């Protein structure tokens, strides 16, 4: 059970899905055209290579479409993709892909009629036997081109800016306040030595609030972490907020005075 619950990579980016699908198209086309499994050498047509390449083309489209819907599952499990998810998804993919290839082989190439019996036999005698050949390649590509997002600890927060490399991960209790100015925000927090430091990101205060909704607005230009607040200094006309750590204070506007004061009492 530990193995099934191990987190692995997931191919989420559309461009990477297309790349993996294209490689799978080349691989399956090569196997069918040159290795000629399942009496493929007995098939004769003026357009044999083109017809047989159709299997690879279908795999490409099935993989891209299937994996696009798979993203919904990926988001539902909060981007923590496990071995058990990969196994279940792989089984479902082969059922879907095998069914599409059956229709192409039976109705388009052999000009036959559909029957559930022949459908199941195709999955059993063709698709099942191809899994040991095709699945390792597909799974390898998914891992090579996939991403693995390590979930944050429950008491951690992640802040991102608009510029590259503007990423900050820290514990909730270490975040003090965030100040906005022009198109930037200044994030004040405690470092590993419990010293108050700051980082500046290109970001808006509203977008920061969407990333960290537990912060409270205390001024049009400030968001504050109430668990870091020591006290409110002054009255509603000229109030300031002081913090447990450091000597910094920030303004508390009349608009938010009562709300912040009540929240501080509740803590």
């Amino acid at each position: 059970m530990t193995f099934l619950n191990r987190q692995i990579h997931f191919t989420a980016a559309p461009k990477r899905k297309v790349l993996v699908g294209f490689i799978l198209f080349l691989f399956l086309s090569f196997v069918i055209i040159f290795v000629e499994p399942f009496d493929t050498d007995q098939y004769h047509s003026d357009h044999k290579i083109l017809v047989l390449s159709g299997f690879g083309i279908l795999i490409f489209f099935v993989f891209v479409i299937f994996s696009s819907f798979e993203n919904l599952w990926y988001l539902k499990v909060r981007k923590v993709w496990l071995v058990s998810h990969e196994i279940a998804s792989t089984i479902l993919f082969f059922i879907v892909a095998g069914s599409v290839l059956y229709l192409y082989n039976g109705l388009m190439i052999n000009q036959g009629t559909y029957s559930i019996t022949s459908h199941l036999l195709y999955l059993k005698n063709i698709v099942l036997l191809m899994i040991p050949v095709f699945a390792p390649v597909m799974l390898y590509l998914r891992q090579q081109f996939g991403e693995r997002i390590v979930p944050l600890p429950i008491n951690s927060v992640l802040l991102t800016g608009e510029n590259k490399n503007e990423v900050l991960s820290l514990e909730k209790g270490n975040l003090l306040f965030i100040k906005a100015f022009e198109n930037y925000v200044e994030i004040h927090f405690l470092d590993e030595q419990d010293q108050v430091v700051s980082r500046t990101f290109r970001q808006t205060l509203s977008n920061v609030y969407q990333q960290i909704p537990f912060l409270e607005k205390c001024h049009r230009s400030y968001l504050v972490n109430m668990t870091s607040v020591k006290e409110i200094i002054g009255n509603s006309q000229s109030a300031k907020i002081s913090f447990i750590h450091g000597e910094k204070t920030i303004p508390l506007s009349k608009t938010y005075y009562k709300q912040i004061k009540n929240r501080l009492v509740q803590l």
Side-chain angles (χ1 to χ4, degrees):
M1 292 301 293
T2 303
F3 171 74
L4 293 177
N5 292 326
R6 185 165 64 87
Q7 186 181 357
I8 57 175
H9 292 72
F10 178 86
T11 308
K15 289 183 179 179
R16 295 194 174 191
K17 292 180 187 295
V18 172
L19 178 58
V20 173
F22 180 72
I23 296 174
L24 293 177
F25 150 68
L26 294 177
F27 176 72
L28 184 61
S29 296
F30 174 84
V31 170
I32 293 178
I33 294 171
F34 295 101
V35 180
E36 298 184 325
F38 310 113
D39 298 326
T40 306
D41 57 317
Q42 303 299 315
Y43 174 72
H44 299 287
S45 170
D46 294 335
H47 308 287
K48 181 176 179 178
I49 293 180
L50 180 61
V51 171
L52 295 181
S53 296
F55 288 96
I57 294 172
L58 286 174
I59 279 293
F60 168 79
F61 283 106
V62 171
F63 178 83
V64 172
I65 295 172
F66 179 88
S67 59
S68 296
F69 281 104
E70 191 182 44
N71 271 27
L72 299 176
W73 186 1
Y74 183 55
L75 293 175
K76 188 175 182 180
V77 296
R78 298 184 178 183
K79 297 185 177 182
V80 180
W81 193 251
L82 307 179
V83 171
S84 57
H85 299 147
E86 186 77 349
I87 293 174
S89 181
T90 300
I91 293 172
L92 184 59
F93 169 77
F94 277 105
I95 293 174
V96 173
S99 298
V100 172
L101 296 184
Y102 160 76
L103 294 174
Y104 177 71
N105 180 70
L107 304 183
M108 299 295 293
I109 297 180
N110 295 324
Q111 302 293 312
T113 57
Y114 176 83
S115 74
I116 186 65
T117 301
S118 62
H119 188 166
L120 294 175
L121 286 175
Y122 187 87
L123 293 177
K124 176 185 175 182
N125 298 329
I126 305 296
V127 177
L128 191 61
L129 292 178
M130 280 296 292
I131 289 178
V133 177
F134 192 82
V137 177
M138 183 181 75
L139 295 175
Y140 172 79
L141 292 172
R142 282 167 64 91
Q143 292 303 299
Q144 285 296 111
F145 293 103
E147 62 180 8
R148 182 177 180 271
I149 298 177
V150 180
L152 290 172
I154 192 169
N155 291 321
S156 295
V157 294
L158 182 68
L159 273 164
T160 60
E162 294 180 359
N163 295 328
K164 188 177 181 181
N165 298 325
E166 288 184 341
V167 179
L168 176 63
S169 175
L170 53 109
E171 292 185 10
K172 288 182 179 180
N174 289 342
L175 178 60
L176 303 182
F177 66 91
I178 297 174
K179 175 185 177 181
F181 60 98
E182 297 181 352
N183 296 321
Y184 296 86
V185 293
E186 198 174 69
I187 306 159
H188 293 256
F189 60 96
L190 298 177
D191 63 11
E192 295 179 354
Q193 288 75 41
D194 286 337
Q195 299 297 312
V196 178
V197 295
S198 66
R199 284 188 61 183
T200 301
F201 286 1
R202 183 177 179 83
Q203 189 57 277
T204 64
L205 205 63
S206 59
N207 284 342
V208 169
Y209 182 72
Q210 289 180 3
Q211 295 180 40
I212 313 179
F214 67 85
L215 297 181
E216 296 280 351
K217 195 166 188 178
C218 62
H219 185 276
R220 64 180 182 179
S221 300
Y222 287 84
L223 291 172
V224 64
N225 182 4
M226 291 302 299
T227 60
S228 300
V229 173
K230 179 181 179 181
E231 62 179 342
I232 296 174
I233 304 171
N235 55 38
S236 61
Q237 301 301 317
S238 59
K240 291 184 180 295
I241 294 174
S242 67
F243 296 89
I244 299 171
H245 298 278
E247 299 179 356
K248 287 183 177 292
T249 61
I250 61 174
L252 172 56
S253 70
K254 184 179 180 179
T255 304
Y256 302 101
Y257 180 84
K258 186 176 181 179
Q259 174 185 328
I260 295 298
K261 191 171 183 178
N262 290 337
R263 284 283 291 113
L264 188 59
V265 171
Q266 294 171 5
L267 293 175

